[in-house]
Amino acid sequence: MTSRFAYVRPGSLHEAVTRLAAPGSHALSGGTDLLGCLRDRVLSATTVVSLADLVELRGIAERPDGSLRIGALTTLAEIASHARIHERYTVLAQGARAAASPQLRNQGTLGGNLCQRPRCWYFRGDFPCARKGGDVCYAMAGENELHAIFGGAGCYIVHPSDTAPPLVALEARARIAGAEGDRTVSLDDFFVLPSQDVSRENVLRPGELVVEVLLPKPAADSRSLYRKVRARGAWDFALAGVALVLQVSSGLVTRARIVLAGVAPAPWRAVKAEAALIGRGLDRATAAEVAAVAAEGAEPLDGNGYKVDLVRGVVEEALLALA
Ligand SMILES: Cc1cc2nc3c(=O)[nH]c(=O)nc-3n(C[C@H](O)[C@H](O)[C@H](O)COP(=O)(O)OP(=O)(O)OC[C@H]3O[C@@H](n4cnc5c(N)ncnc54)[C@H](O)[C@@H]3O)c2cc1C
Ligand code: SF4
């Protein structure tokens, strides 16, 4: 049963960030994650601040310099079916399409998808774990099949978003509004690892919200792809996945961004694998070698060693699919 909270629907960005700065306030976009968290008492709220009337958060627009802005209230379905996004930022359209179910994609927004809370079953259950302010990670010695193999330190969540790895691969930036003013943050720096702060998943300060995401104009010789492995055919979070953005000239890779999904508390850049790809052609031997490098450094828990093989397999497949 959800505890009582006030519901407000500000008509301006200024009013929204002022409301959100009050302790116990939460932003509401599509509600597909927030309402479940409130119902299950994962979070408590004194005030829920609906973003529905904020025109600044709406719309997809190409800018004169060839970059693209996507308002935070844009639904995943709109992104998945947008012809320009599909053509120029294929990896993002594929990521949005791979998320959740058609109903959830119609309701869920980009801002909410980036800021959704972790799916760790202890976090979602009645366990006072480290992420909730306790001093124990129950997953470490417990049920950890779906948890992180990279970047866990006292907390082993995986970031649940299927749009975040594509946006990191595309070198996107987020415009953030807050009571103290606006700032723009690279998606590379937006997500927070447990070693930085175990209590939150991103750099948003109390009162701040994501207004829009900005994508640079893609290079003429770039190609991209998102691939996700899940336990069921649909409706499921990634066990492992990869967002790839490559520039290929005369058959050789000149620039690479390889970002893993479903295996770390934040989208996880496979930086050594990116470097290993530069100057190489996309043949079978290179794909296998680079995929092995992408899985290097994994630190599986008792139940999730299979994810190391999944990373290797999904990266190899994705590279060959882009060849
Ligand atoms: C059964 C199920 C399966 C799912 N499977 C997947 C999946 O495979 N892949 C995937 O990526 N997702 C999956 N999801 C998650 C789903 O995509 C998210 O719930 C949805 O994208 C969140 O968007 P929303 O607009 O409904 O967010 P809300 O529920 O409104 O908000 C989510 C969180 O983000 C905050 N927030 C919302 N908007 C903003 C903003 N503009 N700025 C700052 N903070 C904000 C809220 O305060 C809240 O904490 C699944 C969800 C369910 C229930
Ligand atoms: S993985 Fe993180 S969220 Fe899950 S039990 Fe451990 S500390 Fe809590």
Side-chain angles (χ1 to χ4, degrees):
M1 176 81 151
T2 310
S3 53
R4 292 172 69 86
F5 53 80
Y7 171 82
V8 294
R9 194 165 164 158
S12 73
L13 195 52
H14 175 72
E15 189 191 344
V17 296
T18 306
R19 290 283 198 172
L20 280 171
S25 297
H26 293 277
L28 174 75
S29 289
T32 59
D33 183 45
L34 180 68
L35 297 181
C37 286
L38 294 176
R39 181 198 58 211
D40 298 339
R41 295 181 184 266
V42 176
L43 302 175
S44 61
T46 51
T47 308
V48 167
V49 181
S50 168
L51 309 183
D53 290 339
L54 304 181
V55 287
E56 296 91 333
L57 273 63
R58 295 204 175 270
I60 300 175
E62 217 165 333
R63 295 177 153 185
D65 64 358
S67 63
L68 190 83
R69 64 87 61 184
I70 307 178
L73 280 177
T74 308
T75 65
L76 299 179
E78 286 171 314
I79 292 171
S81 64
H82 194 275
R84 271 315 250 171
I85 295 180
H86 200 271
E87 178 197 333
R88 302 178 78 211
Y89 306 99
T90 313
V91 63
L92 177 60
Q94 291 175 339
R97 184 181 272 288
S101 65
Q103 291 89 338
L104 287 161
R105 292 196 292 274
N106 281 334
Q107 180 71 16
T109 65
L110 182 61
N113 192 259
L114 295 177
C115 300
Q116 59 179 303
R117 301 307 310 272
R119 288 277 153 183
C120 169
W121 36 51
Y122 297 106
F123 178 78
R124 295 271 167 166
D126 202 11
F127 293 85
C129 72
R131 190 160 288 272
K132 284 177 172 162
D135 49 17
V136 176
C137 170
Y138 295 92
M140 213 148 83
E143 306 260 325
N144 50 39
E145 299 88 75
L146 302 183
H147 287 74
I149 56 171
F150 294 104
C155 170
Y156 297 85
I157 58 161
V158 293
H159 201 279
S161 169
D162 281 312
T163 60
L167 289 172
V168 173
L170 289 165
E171 300 178 63
R173 290 171 302 137
R175 187 161 78 84
I176 294 168
E180 321 253 294
D182 278 19
R183 59 189 179 122
T184 302
V185 174
S186 158
L187 264 277
D188 264 323
D189 302 323
F190 182 77
F191 300 98
V192 167
L193 289 172
S195 57
Q196 297 165 271
D197 185 344
V198 75
S199 67
R200 58 193 184 138
E201 295 87 48
N202 57 56
V203 297
L204 292 181
R205 299 189 280 249
E208 287 190 325
L209 56 82
V210 178
V211 175
E212 62 191 10
V213 169
L214 305 164
L215 291 161
K217 180 182 178 181
D221 56 0
S222 75
R223 46 182 97 170
S224 70
L225 174 139
Y226 185 66
R227 190 164 284 239
K228 164 180 178 183
V229 184
R230 49 191 151 196
R232 297 179 295 179
W235 269 80
D236 227 344
F237 295 91
L239 296 174
V242 65
L244 269 186
V245 178
L246 304 182
Q247 280 175 244
V248 182
S249 179
S250 306
L252 301 180
V253 177
T254 56
R255 193 171 161 80
R257 302 269 292 187
I258 304 177
V259 184
L260 303 179
V263 292
W268 189 257
R269 266 187 76 195
V271 181
K272 278 175 68 182
E274 291 173 356
L277 200 48
I278 302 301
R280 310 282 294 272
L282 288 171
D283 53 48
R284 284 192 179 280
T286 303
E289 189 188 312
V290 169
V293 176
E296 276 177 13
E299 293 182 314
L301 302 163
D302 284 349
N304 65 3
Y306 72 95
K307 285 197 176 193
V308 179
D309 291 333
L310 279 189
V311 166
R312 224 178 276 131
V314 79
V315 172
E316 185 176 347
E317 267 183 21
L319 286 168
L320 290 175
L322 269 194

